[in-house]
Structures are given as C-alpha cells and as structure tokens.
C-alpha cells in the first residue's frame, strides 16, 4: 500500500493506482469526461488536471500514478485555473443548443460548465459542424457536433463489446467519431455507448425527444430475458415506460445491460398489447369481461375433466414467467389431477430431473477464470453479458476453448473473443468431440474415460484437454444448444467427468430469466405426465391446453407443427400480455408483463431477485398470479387463498429462498455414443428469445434480427388473424 496526501487527508491505495483512484477512495470528486472506471485510461480530455506538489505543471489525475508521500491538491488555485482553461477549450466548438439537446438534464458537460465554465466565450470564430451519421436503429448520431472526443465509445467497443465499430478519423478540430465507411453499429451491447457518452453526441434513437429526464420517475426492476438477471432502472412518465437503463450491480451485470434488456420496452407500449379478455365465437374474436372469460375457462376445464379425465389437460409454461406465476400454474395443473406441465419447450431430451441445473459458479467469477470450455452455444448472442465477462478474462490472459457448430460460431472471431482452441462440428458430433477431449484428459491423468471415442483424439481435442489441465480457476459451460440437445444427458455426463479430472466447475449457461426458477417450483412432469415434447407431438390426446406466456410456434422445438397439434384440442387458453396464438386459441387472457406485476426471477447462479410493478396494468390486464388464483377458486380447488406474491413466494423452496442443496449439475446418466440421427438442437436467435423482444420494433430492425433465419413478421400475422 502507498500513502498519499489528498487535499490534506491521508489516503492509502494499492501500488499502481492513479490519483483518480485515490480520490474515489477518499470520496473526493475530480471533474472528468474521458475517465470511466470500466475502461482503459486515455487521458485525452484533460479535465481532471490536479496540482501535484513539485510537479512543474498540473497533472491529469486519471493517468498520474501515485507515489509514496505524494501531495495532491484538487481544489488549489492552480488546479481550478487549469480545469477552467480546459473547459474553455472544450466549449470552443460545442454548439449553444442545451435547450433542445436530448441529453439536457443528465449531461456531464452541462454540469461541469456551470462549475468551471466562463460567463462568456472569447472564441468568436465560426464553430465547426460535424455531419450527422446513420448508424442503425438504436443509436442516434444526429448531433455529432456536440462530441468532445473523449473516446469512451471507441474504448467501450474495443474493450467491452469486443468489436471496434466506432473510431476517430482526422486530427485536431477536424477529428470525428464515425463508423468505417458508413457501416452501422451492430453490437448486442451497443446501447451502453449511450450511457457512457458524457454529452449529447450519442443518444437513444427510440427514446429521442420523447421526454425530459427530470420528468421521469425511476424504479428498480430485473430483466425478464436471458439468465443474467440484469438489474434495471425503468424510467416512467404518465404510467408509461419511457426508457430502460442499467442499475449497477457488480455481482450480476456490473454497469452494463444488453440491447434487448434496454430496448425491448417498446413492445410493452405497442399495438399488439392485449388489454381485454377475448373469446373466439364462430371463428371471430369478441371482447368480453373477466367474469365471462374465466367462467368459460373453468366450465370448459370441468367438462373436459369429466368427459376425458384430468390427464387430457396440459399446461405449457414459459421460463420467462415469474417464480410466483410458475408456482401457481404448477399447483393448478396438479390440483386438477394432471401431471402434464412443462417449461422445457425447446428441449429434445426429457430425462427425469435429478437436480436444479445452474451455472455451477457465480457470475462474477467468470471474469476471473483462467481456462474455460464452452460447449454448444452462441455465447455472444445468447448471453451477451456472460460473453462480456469471459472477454475480460481472456484480455487478462485466460484461454477460451469452444466445441460448437458452424451455425453458432461461423468464424473464430464471431464471438468477438480470442479463441485459443476450437472444434467446430455439427451437433450430432458434439458427443464424439467431447469424448475425444475426455480421452485426451484420461491419457494425461491415467483415468479411464467414460466413453471411448470412435477415433483417437485429434490435435484440437488434445489442445483443449491440455488447456483444461493447466491453470487454476476453470469452468466448463454448456450452452442453450447443449441443453436442448437430443443427448443432453450424455453431454453433461462427459462434461462432469472432464470437470472432475481437471478441477473445473461444470454448469449450464441456462436459457431464460427463470429457467432455474422453473426447476425449483417443479414445473415439469413428475409422475408419468406428458413432457413438452410429447404434448406437442401428434397423438398427444390433449383436450385442453393452457399456455402461460409462450407461443409454441416460436418458443418450442416443434415450431409450426405445434399449431396443428394444439389446434386439435377442444379448448386452448392463452395467458399473454400480447395478441398471441390467435390461430389456435379459444380464449385470450391479458396478463401483465414484468413491468406491471411484482414477481421474482432466479438467475443462472441461483440468485433470487424480486421486483415490483413499475407502472399500472394497461386496460383490463391483470397479473398472471391473480388470474391463476381466481381461476383455481372458480374450479373449487383448495390451497389458493393467496393475497400477495409474498404469500405465494413463501410456499416455494426454503420459505422463498433457494434451498442450499437444490442447485446441482450432477447426473447419474451414463455417456452414450451419438446415434447420429438426431436433428440439430432448436435455439432462439437473439431477438426471437421471448414474446417481448419479438415485438420490439427497433430490435427487429437490427442486423441480428434481419439475419436470423427464424425471423418472422409477428405483427402482420396478428393483425391478419384479428381482421
């Protein structure tokens, strides 16, 4: 530790720290623009100049290393004058348009100009004008004349997103931040550039000119999309979600969020929202009141149970639903006497659950791994924030190995991470590839591998094995495609054996916001009921189907065939915030999305995160847990006297907490050789993951959405079906 004196106070910091870090520790604010705690040091704005004793001139606090006994003054006349001079230079070319700037009210330049700017400018020449640029549907670069060249956006692309999409061209006052030859900004983390831009140069295109920051209420929430469980600040005006920004949580999402977390809110205010219960009568949709709709459903379920037995009723639930909704849907189905319930719509293998599958380690530890093997995943697009953490680890010297297919990783740089070793083979060869790695590990350790590969381990398998046998902190991560694989159990068995031999943790990246939570509440058949695969297969025999927050055509492995199977049922009930499943549903019940209901998600690491409603439900929309409770009461089922989500949560796990021994990736399954006949695993593209992102207009205009093979015009179909 090194001790310095900062404004008369003694501060101890680690060797190699900068004066800025010492100031942060001491709680002293030093004005700055280009410095950001998560980015490398550039020291090009010079706003953080401070007075260092014995230094001939003011020094930048962000780039001046501390030395023993250093004396620093941040508020001396010398420091203040230097900062004022810098501010005068920064404002020379900055336009005088604060009243119309979209950044107004949360602009660092505006704030610091009040403290350090002059009352008038000595600059009388013509200000420079920088031509606006179109860089895609998410980021606006309409007012690049406001840019102060702090290069935060450039460094973010290089260091965090892994893709240098923005760069600086020209020199001096002719410098410009721009993309390469008119390219668009297509990173799945691009929206973070808006947050870190200290001026109004980069702004949110969907939010642009829709509200002033001081008009917005700020409310905490949790992302309902992937398994990171990113913490959000939802900004609200007039009971309408206007913007979503990150809430800093070092253990989960740091200070970043993915673009689908940031921009999916557009769907919540879209034309496809279902705000009134609807019944299909004579092939036409009619709006009805809640009493009519729920009595129709209750009477229908009673009749079908009486005529065909309880096992003719099936429930398909979404792992994007809250813990409370999943619990009540599971209880309702089982109290009706049916065991046909499942959340695993995209899975191809349905083995008896042995433990709650999870990440196997903490999210924060991904930044610290030294060796990591990812199997069956498009890491960058499926889990952008996990990819970001592993990218940081690789930048610090970690080695990333990959076994996946060409459709999930087209080139070695597709993930924007340096890949040390890779085995790019089709999904039916993953078991063989993993068995080869296990055999290579066995050769080194002397242990007998659980499955002998057909061929001797090739160079790639040897290299992956050697990588996992070196280093200290190691992880084997199974992606969405590995979880949805026709022989997912064999992949897990092999991964567990390799993990045991190499000292690596083994875990699933897990697909959805509540995949872990769905397992905790037991939203799967336990006593011989039909799993999702059999419920969506021809001849399932289901007469009544309840669909909670999902669209089987897009959310299941069956795809379009699901519509025909479900359409054969006597009654199909869809609980959704949107006009979904119109072609085969008989009843639509409008339930609240995550912004309009309290609830709980359990992320990949088993972290339980509760949230409150941030706006009132639209129209006649009701929280799904209330709808399920009332439906159970109409059916005369016992044990549904819940008055709040807290009461429902108390019935789950260890009184609302994840049981300590519940999380386990152990398996009794034996690794079996690939039969080679299985279809490729079904995985959702980045902006087709759930019903919310699917309906977010700006996200559907991105390059990722356009390139997705599963892309479809949901809006057009919905409007056509309602016509």
């Amino acid at each position: 530790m090194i001790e310095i004196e900062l404004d008369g106070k003694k501060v101890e910091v680690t060797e190699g720290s900068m004066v800025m870090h010492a100031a942060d520790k001491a709680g002293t604010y030093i004005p700055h623009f280009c410095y950001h705690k998560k980015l490398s040091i550039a020291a090009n704005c010079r706003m953080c100049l401070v007075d260092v004793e014995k230094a001939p001139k003011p020094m930048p606090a962000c780039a001046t290393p501390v030395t023993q006994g250093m004396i620093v003054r941040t508020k001396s006349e010398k420091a203040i004058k230097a900062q004022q001079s810098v501010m005068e230079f920064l404002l020379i070319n900055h336009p005088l348009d604060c009243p119309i700037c979209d950044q107004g009210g949360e602009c660092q330049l505006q704030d610091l100009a009040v403290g350090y700017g002059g009352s008038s400018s000595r600059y009388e020449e013509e200000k420079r004008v920088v031509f606006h640029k179109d860089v895609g549907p998410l980021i606006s670069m309409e007012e690049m004349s406001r840019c102060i060249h702090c290069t935060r956006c450039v460094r973010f692309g290089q260091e965090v997103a892994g893709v240098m999409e923005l760069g600086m061209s020209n020199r001096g006052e002719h410098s410009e931040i721009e993309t390469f030859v008119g390219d668009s900004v297509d990173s799945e983390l691009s929206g973070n550039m808006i947050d870190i831009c200290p001026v109004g140069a980069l702004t949110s295109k969907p939010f642009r000119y829709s509200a002033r920051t001081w008009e917005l209420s700020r409310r905490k929430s949790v992302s309902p999309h992937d398994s990171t469980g990113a913490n959000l600040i939802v900004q609200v005006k007039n009971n309408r979600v206007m913007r979503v920004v990150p809430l800093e949580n070092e253990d989960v999402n740091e200070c970043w969020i993915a673009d689908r977390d940031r921009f999916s809110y557009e769907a919540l205010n879209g034309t496809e929202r279902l705000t009134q219960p609807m019944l299909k009568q004579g092939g036409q949709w009619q709006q009805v009141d809640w009493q009519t709709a729920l009595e129709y459903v209750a009477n229908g379920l009673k009749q079908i149970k009486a005529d065909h037995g309880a096992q003719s009723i099936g429930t398909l639930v979404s792992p994007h639903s809250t813990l409370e909704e999943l619990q009540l849907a599971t209880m309702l189905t089982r109290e009706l006497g049916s065991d046909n319930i499942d959340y695993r719509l995209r899975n191809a293998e349905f083995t008896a659950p042995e433990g709650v599958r999870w990440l196997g380690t903490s999210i924060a530890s991904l930044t610290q791994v030294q060796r990591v093997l990812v199997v069956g995943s498009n890491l960058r697009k499926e889990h952008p924030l996990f990819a970001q953490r592993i990218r940081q680890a690789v930048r610090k010297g970690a080695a990333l190995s990959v076994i996946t297919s060409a459709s999930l990783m087209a080139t070695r740089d597709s993930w924007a991470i340096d890949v040390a070793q890779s085995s790019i083979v089709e999904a039916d060869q993953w078991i063989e590839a993993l068995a080869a790695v296990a055999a290579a590990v066995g050769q080194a350790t002397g242990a007998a591998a659980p499955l002998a590969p057909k061929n001797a381990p090739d160079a790639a398998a040897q290299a992956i094995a050697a990588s996992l046998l070196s280093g200290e902190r190691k992880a084997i991560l199974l992606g969405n495609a590995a979880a949805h694989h026709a022989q997912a159990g064999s992949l897990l068995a092999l991964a567990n054996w390799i993990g045991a031999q190499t000292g690596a943790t083994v875990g699933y990246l897990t697909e959805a916001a509540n995949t872990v939570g769905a397992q905790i509440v037991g939203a799967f058949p336990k006593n011989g009921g039909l799993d999702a695969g059999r419920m969506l297969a021809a001849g399932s025999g289901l007469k009544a189907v309840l669909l909670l927050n999902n669209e089987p055509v897009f959310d299941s492995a069956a795809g379009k065939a699901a519509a025909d199977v479900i359409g054969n049922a006597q009654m199909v009930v869809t609980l959704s915030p949107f006009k979904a499943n119109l072609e085969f549903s008989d009843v639509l019940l409008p339930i609240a999305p995550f912004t309009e209901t309290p609830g709980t998600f359990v992320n990949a690491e088993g972290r339980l995160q509760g949230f409150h409603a941030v706006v009132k439900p639209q129209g006649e929309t009701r929280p799904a847990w209330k709808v399920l409770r009332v439906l159970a009461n109409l059916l005369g089922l016992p044990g549904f006297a819940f008055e709040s989500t807290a009461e429902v949560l108390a019935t789950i796990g260890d009184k609302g907490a994840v049981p300590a021994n519940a999380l386990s990736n152990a398996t009794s399954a034996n690794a079996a050789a690939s039969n080679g006949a299985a279809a490729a695993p079904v995985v959702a593209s980045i902006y087709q993951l759930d019903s919310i992102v699917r309906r977010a207009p700006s996200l559907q205009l991105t390059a990722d959405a356009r390139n997705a093979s599963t892309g479809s015009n949901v809006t057009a179909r919905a409007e056509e079906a309602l016509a």
Side-chain angles (χ1 to χ4, degrees):
M1 298 295 281
I2 288 175
E3 187 179 80
I4 71 165
E5 185 182 305
L6 188 84
D7 293 340
K9 291 191 292 187
K10 301 289 185 187
V11 185
E12 277 197 352
V13 288
T14 54
E15 191 175 352
S17 298
M18 303 296 163
V19 171
M20 185 70 84
H21 302 140
D24 285 343
K25 191 173 180 180
T28 300
Y29 177 72
I30 298 175
H32 60 273
F33 293 112
C34 70
Y35 171 76
H36 190 281
K37 62 183 179 183
K38 294 289 182 182
L39 302 176
S40 62
I41 290 164
N44 53 6
C45 78
R46 317 307 281 185
M47 192 64 210
C48 63
L49 292 174
V50 292
D51 180 10
V52 178
E53 195 167 278
K54 296 181 181 176
K57 58 183 181 181
M59 305 292 284
C62 67
T64 303
V66 294
T67 56
Q68 185 63 39
M70 178 187 269
I71 299 171
V72 180
R73 300 180 187 91
T74 67
K75 302 288 188 294
S76 68
E77 187 183 356
K78 185 178 179 182
I80 297 293
K81 277 191 172 178
Q83 290 163 358
Q84 286 174 338
S85 300
V86 169
M87 180 55 73
E88 186 176 17
F89 274 112
L90 287 175
L91 293 175
I92 278 176
N93 277 307
H94 199 79
L96 303 171
D97 64 351
C98 282
I100 63 141
C101 179
D102 208 40
Q103 192 84 357
E106 50 187 7
C107 175
Q108 276 181 258
L109 187 70
Q110 196 176 44
D111 295 342
L112 292 178
V114 172
Y116 299 90
S119 55
S120 62
S121 175
R122 292 182 285 171
Y123 185 79
E124 294 179 353
E125 286 74 17
E126 194 172 309
K127 288 182 179 278
R128 71 160 187 181
V129 175
V130 181
F131 194 69
H132 66 86
K133 300 161 182 73
D134 185 4
V135 293
L138 305 180
I139 296 178
S140 171
M141 294 180 73
E142 289 294 312
E143 281 91 17
M144 290 307 292
S145 298
R146 296 173 185 155
C147 177
I148 60 168
H149 305 145
C150 70
T151 67
R152 278 186 180 184
C153 54
V154 179
R155 284 174 285 145
F156 171 84
Q158 280 181 297
E159 297 162 18
V160 181
V163 187
M164 188 178 169
E165 294 178 302
L166 292 178
M168 189 182 287
S169 60
N170 307 319
R171 299 189 68 179
E173 76 166 10
H174 301 293
S175 300
E176 288 186 34
I177 299 288
E178 55 188 344
T179 59
F180 180 74
V181 198
D183 284 354
S184 55
V185 174
D186 298 321
S187 166
E188 64 287 348
L189 297 169
S190 65
N192 294 294
M193 295 180 187
I194 300 164
D195 290 338
I196 62 175
C197 180
V199 296
L202 304 182
T203 53
S204 168
K205 196 173 270 189
F207 173 72
R208 189 173 162 80
Y209 296 145
S210 56
R212 286 296 194 183
T213 180
W214 54 83
E215 301 172 324
L216 302 171
S217 304
R218 288 157 174 79
R219 294 159 191 175
K220 297 177 183 178
S221 193
V222 178
S223 168
H225 306 304
D226 63 36
S227 58
T228 311
N231 292 198
L232 311 175
I233 297 274
V234 181
Q235 301 184 349
V236 176
K237 180 186 176 184
N238 297 336
N239 202 49
R240 184 182 172 94
V241 176
M242 303 300 291
R243 183 165 63 169
V244 175
V245 294
L247 172 63
E248 188 169 344
N249 186 335
E250 278 298 311
D251 294 331
V252 180
N253 56 302
E254 299 176 89
C255 55
W256 316 119
I257 54 174
D259 286 353
R260 64 180 167 204
D261 304 326
R262 184 184 301 273
F263 297 108
S264 62
Y265 73 88
E266 284 187 293
L268 306 176
N269 306 319
T271 56
E272 268 201 81
R273 278 296 303 271
L274 179 67
T275 56
Q276 187 82 21
M278 300 180 81
L279 284 179
K280 191 184 279 182
Q281 296 174 329
Q284 296 295 311
W285 285 102
Q286 306 291 334
Q287 291 191 350
V288 296
D289 58 50
W290 270 105
Q291 188 74 18
T292 305
L294 288 172
E295 283 180 356
Y296 179 90
V297 175
N299 293 333
L301 288 172
K302 286 177 183 175
Q303 190 65 46
I304 288 167
K305 183 180 176 180
D307 293 348
H308 304 281
Q311 285 303 318
S312 64
I313 300 169
T315 305
L316 292 169
V317 296
S318 167
H320 299 276
S321 299
T322 67
L323 207 56
E324 295 85 350
E325 293 164 4
L326 292 169
Q327 171 75 340
L328 289 179
T330 306
M331 287 172 61
L332 175 72
T333 307
R334 294 213 162 97
E335 284 295 332
L336 278 168
S338 173
D339 194 43
N340 304 330
I341 181 165
D342 212 343
Y343 73 94
R344 300 165 296 180
L345 272 72
R346 292 192 179 99
N347 284 31
E349 184 184 69
F350 300 91
T351 52
E354 297 177 85
V356 174
R357 305 308 191 204
W358 68 301
L359 188 61
T361 182
S362 67
I363 292 173
S365 69
L366 294 178
T367 317
Q368 307 301 323
V369 290
Q370 294 177 340
R371 301 289 184 269
V372 59
L373 169 61
V374 177
V375 181
S377 174
N378 181 353
L379 183 66
R380 179 181 168 193
K381 302 300 179 184
E382 289 170 5
H383 300 90
L385 293 172
F386 290 172
Q388 181 277 126
R389 285 193 180 266
I390 291 171
R391 190 174 293 119
Q392 303 312 312
V394 170
R395 283 174 59 85
K396 289 185 286 189
L400 169 65
S401 305
V402 178
I403 297 174
T404 195
S405 61
S407 60
L408 300 172
M409 189 179 190
T411 61
R412 281 180 79 92
D413 58 354
S414 298
W415 293 1
I417 310 174
D418 289 334
V419 176
Q421 296 87 28
S422 64
S423 180
I424 308 300
V425 292
E426 291 309 303
D428 57 0
Q429 295 298 309
W430 290 349
I431 288 175
E432 175 68 14
L434 210 51
V437 173
V441 168
Q443 288 173 5
T445 61
L451 178 66
K454 294 172 186 173
N455 303 305
D458 58 9
Q462 296 279 8
I464 294 170
S467 176
L468 288 172
L469 286 163
S470 61
E472 294 177 5
R473 295 178 297 277
K474 297 167 263 194
I476 299 171
L477 302 172
L478 300 169
N480 296 353
H484 302 162
H485 197 277
Q487 291 180 271
S490 293
L491 289 173
L492 178 59
L494 284 166
N496 277 338
W497 188 87
I498 296 168
Q501 294 296 315
T502 60
T505 61
V506 178
Y508 282 98
L509 292 165
T510 66
E511 181 181 40
N514 219 8
T515 300
V516 175
Q519 298 174 78
I520 290 169
V521 302
F524 43 75
K526 292 182 176 179
N527 302 308
L530 299 179
D531 54 53
R534 287 194 288 167
M535 279 193 266
L536 293 171
S540 64
L542 292 181
K543 301 299 180 184
V545 182
L546 298 177
L547 300 172
L548 176 61
N549 203 20
N550 60 51
E551 297 170 88
V553 171
F554 306 107
D555 294 332
S556 76
K560 292 178 180 176
D564 298 328
V565 174
I566 296 174
N568 290 328
Q570 289 181 22
M571 184 175 73
V572 180
V573 182
T574 292
L575 293 86
S576 174
F578 304 102
K579 296 166 185 171
N581 305 327
L582 293 165
E583 58 266 41
F584 51 77
S585 292
D586 299 293
V587 189
L588 296 180
L589 301 178
I591 60 169
F594 77 106
T595 51
E596 299 169 19
T597 179
T600 310
F601 290 136
V602 184
N603 71 359
E605 66 177 3
R607 182 186 293 265
L608 201 85
Q609 300 189 110
F611 55 91
H612 296 288
V614 300
V615 291
K616 293 175 183 172
Q618 288 188 24
E620 290 297 307
T621 299
R622 296 289 183 269
W625 73 270
K626 285 188 178 180
V627 175
L628 291 164
R629 182 200 65 192
V630 174
L631 182 58
N633 294 339
L634 286 173
L635 288 162
L637 304 177
F640 284 85
F642 301 110
E643 294 297 321
S644 67
T645 52
E647 290 180 20
V648 181
L649 188 62
T651 67
I652 302 168
D654 187 8
K655 293 181 180 177
V658 179
N661 59 350
L663 301 174
S664 169
N665 293 316
T667 179
S668 59
N670 294 318
S674 174
N675 51 30
V682 175
V683 289
S685 63
I686 184 168
Y687 299 132
Q688 290 288 323
L689 181 63
D690 59 62
S691 55
I692 299 177
V693 294
R694 215 175 280 138
R695 289 170 170 84
S698 296
L699 291 178
Q700 295 307 318
L701 292 172
T702 59
D704 279 326
R706 293 196 309 271
N707 296 337
S709 57
T710 54
S712 56
N713 193 336
V714 179
T715 306
R717 267 203 335 281
E719 289 174 351
E720 185 183 336
L722 279 175

